[in-house]
Structure formats: C-alpha cells, structure tokens
Amino acid sequence: MTTIYGTLNGKAALVTGGSRGIGAATALRLAREGADVAVTYVNGKEAAADVVRAVEDLGRRAVALRADSADASEAADAVRLAAEALGGLDVLVNNAGVGLLGPLESLSLADVDRVLAVNVRGVFLASQAAAARMTAGGRIITVGSCMAQRVPGPGGTLYAMSKSALTGLTKALARELGGRGITANVVHPGPIDTDMNPSDGPYAAGQAQMTAVGRFGTADEVAATVAHLAGADYVTGAEFSVDGGHAA
Ligand code: NDP
C-alpha cells in the first residue's frame, strides 16, 4: 500500500533499531505519513536495506546506518549522520532496546552494563544529540515497556529498571525542551509479536493472559501511536500504554 497520508510531509525522522520489529514498522508508518527516515541497526544489514527499499517505494528518502546504541559515540553519532543524510532532524524515535530477563542472582555485571548501555545511556545520548539539533516542532519519542508500569512476575529486575528510567528521562526532557517547542513522550508496549517476544514463544500464553484483551499486539499497533505523537503539538512528558490493558 503506497498511501501517503501527509501529516509528516517534509519531516525527517531517525528510528533507532529500525531493521526489524517495532522499529521497522515505525519507520514505515512514519514514511507513510510523509517523513523521510533513517534507521539504525547492528547485525541486520539486509533487513535494514529492506526497510530502506520499502520507504523508498513510498516515495520518501531513507538511509540505514550501522550504529550500536551500546557504544556511546555511535549512539550520538547516529543522530548527526541521520541529520546530515536527510538534511535535518525533526523526529527521534528511541526504539533500540535489549530484553534480558532472568532471576536476580543470574544477572552478571556485564548484563547490567549492557542493558543500561543500550536501553538507558544510548537513549540519553541520542536524545541529547537530537535536542542540540532540533528546532521548534521537534519530537522525541521513546519506546519503554509495560514493565515500567507493572511487573507481573519475577525475572524483570534489570529490564524493568532500565525501562523505568525512560519515564524519568522523558518527563525531564519535556520540562527542559518545552520552551523550545520540542516535545518528549514515552510509549509503553505490552507483549508485541516480534523476534524479541514471539507470540508463539514459551512464555507467550501467560503474557497474553495478562492483558485485558487476551492477545499479543502487533508492531503496527505500536507504530500507530508513535506516528500520532510525531504529529502532536500539545502532548509532552506523557506515558502511553499500547499494551492491550496489561497495566489495567
Ligand atoms: P526486536 O528484537 O524484534 O528488534 C530489535 C531492533 O533493535 C532490531 O532492529 C535490532 O537491530 C535493533 N537493535 C538491537 N540492539 C541494538 C543496538 N545495541 N543498537 C542499535 N540497534 C539495536 O525488538 P522489538 O521490536 O520487540 O523491540 C523494540 C523496542 O520495544 C525495544 O526497546 C523493546 O525493549 C521494546 N519492547 C518490546 C516489547 C515486545 O513485546 N516485543 C514489549 C515492550 C517493549 P539488528 O537487526 O541489527 O539486530
């Protein structure tokens, strides 16, 4: 489908971790709304190239950047490279993340450093770099997790801690950047059918049961809310659950 809705015509967006899953769906949704899009990836070169082609098929410009959010300089540099490739940056979607669950005693120092580097430090540094470039109308949208709002069982200490930090960052960004006309919001997906959390995985049935609607969501359902926020002027510092009622 090649409909261009046009609410983001002329905008340039960067989606971190845009080669697969929620990030890829978001990149395509933003392009359908009229945005040019940069995506980052680490291993998925071919998948990222497919996303670029799909965006180009919609008549928008696209670029794929290999940039590991765990690396401090790459996390910030991706913002510069995206802005240079697209001629500016209006929308940053902090989507790249790693899900690491397990008993408290099983989590190593390396696990803690890795998860915080990708899920928290990389988000901070990309947001900082984006804020330095954005003008009025800029949007920072961060993908958190339903586990920042409700932890339904054991094994989530590290992941929930990392995703909860994004709420504090988002609220503080909203306060710091609101006067410049830049908004910051966080979207908390529930169980979403992706490579990270397949709907036929070993823990899938239990996760679906924890939602009010009794099913996994799709990456497109998260992307729709991200795209809405990319076009929303008077919404900032807010948390949005796209979780089928997981937090209800
Ligand atoms: P996937 O594992 O399906 O996709 C992850 C994407 O992020 C890939 O494009 C991957 O690139 C990229 N990525 C991974 N690590 C890095 C990194 N260090 N630097 C840059 N890019 C990276 O994940 P989802 O789509 O499921 O998740 C997206 C976001 O949504 C994450 O922040 C996750 O925590 C969050 N989330 C997901 C939920 C779910 O149920 N799926 C629920 C709640 C939140 P590559 O192809 O190169 O590996």
Side-chain angles (χ1 to χ4, degrees):
M1 168 132 150
T2 56
T3 308
I4 299 291
Y5 302 130
T7 57
L8 299 176
N9 273 347
K11 303 289 186 188
L14 167 62
V15 181
T16 66
S19 55
R20 293 182 285 120
I22 293 168
T26 298
L28 290 176
R29 180 66 190 236
L30 296 177
R32 284 202 183 95
E33 301 281 356
D36 296 327
V37 184
V39 295
T40 66
Y41 68 94
V42 178
N43 299 307
K45 187 174 182 179
E46 280 311 310
D50 287 345
V51 172
V52 165
R53 273 190 291 278
V55 169
E56 288 172 346
D57 285 348
L58 293 166
R60 311 313 314 172
R61 283 190 297 160
V63 62
L65 304 165
R66 191 189 181 285
D68 186 348
S69 296
D71 181 296
S73 55
E74 288 183 28
D77 231 28
V79 172
R80 177 181 64 78
L81 293 169
E84 286 174 4
L86 301 178
L89 188 69
D90 303 289
V91 180
L92 168 66
V93 182
N94 288 306
N95 167 76
V98 284
L100 184 56
L101 304 175
L104 183 59
E105 64 277 11
S106 73
L107 298 167
S108 68
L109 181 58
D111 293 334
V112 175
D113 286 346
R114 168 89 188 151
V115 169
L116 294 182
V118 178
N119 291 8
V120 181
R121 188 181 66 180
V123 174
F124 179 91
L125 294 172
S127 301
Q128 186 182 48
R133 289 179 172 269
M134 282 176 171
T135 55
R139 306 276 178 257
I140 298 173
I141 303 155
T142 298
V143 179
S145 167
C146 60
M147 299 248 313
Q149 298 187 306
R150 176 175 176 239
V151 180
T157 50
L158 179 53
Y159 185 67
M161 175 175 74
S162 71
K163 291 298 189 176
S164 298
L166 303 178
T167 298
L169 172 64
T170 295
K171 288 173 187 277
L173 283 173
R175 289 288 179 187
E176 190 142 338
L177 303 176
R180 291 172 48 201
I182 298 169
T183 65
N185 292 288
V186 60
V187 174
H188 294 305
I192 305 297
D193 183 20
T194 65
D195 293 341
M196 180 188 283
N197 190 13
S199 62
D200 58 358
Y203 307 108
Q207 291 182 67
Q209 267 174 10
M210 282 168 211
T211 69
V213 299
R215 67 166 176 87
F216 268 53
T218 67
D220 285 338
E221 287 173 322
V222 180
T225 294
V226 175
H228 169 72
L229 292 170
D233 279 327
Y234 198 56
V235 181
T236 195
E239 295 176 79
F240 292 84
S241 300
V242 186
D243 67 354
H246 185 275

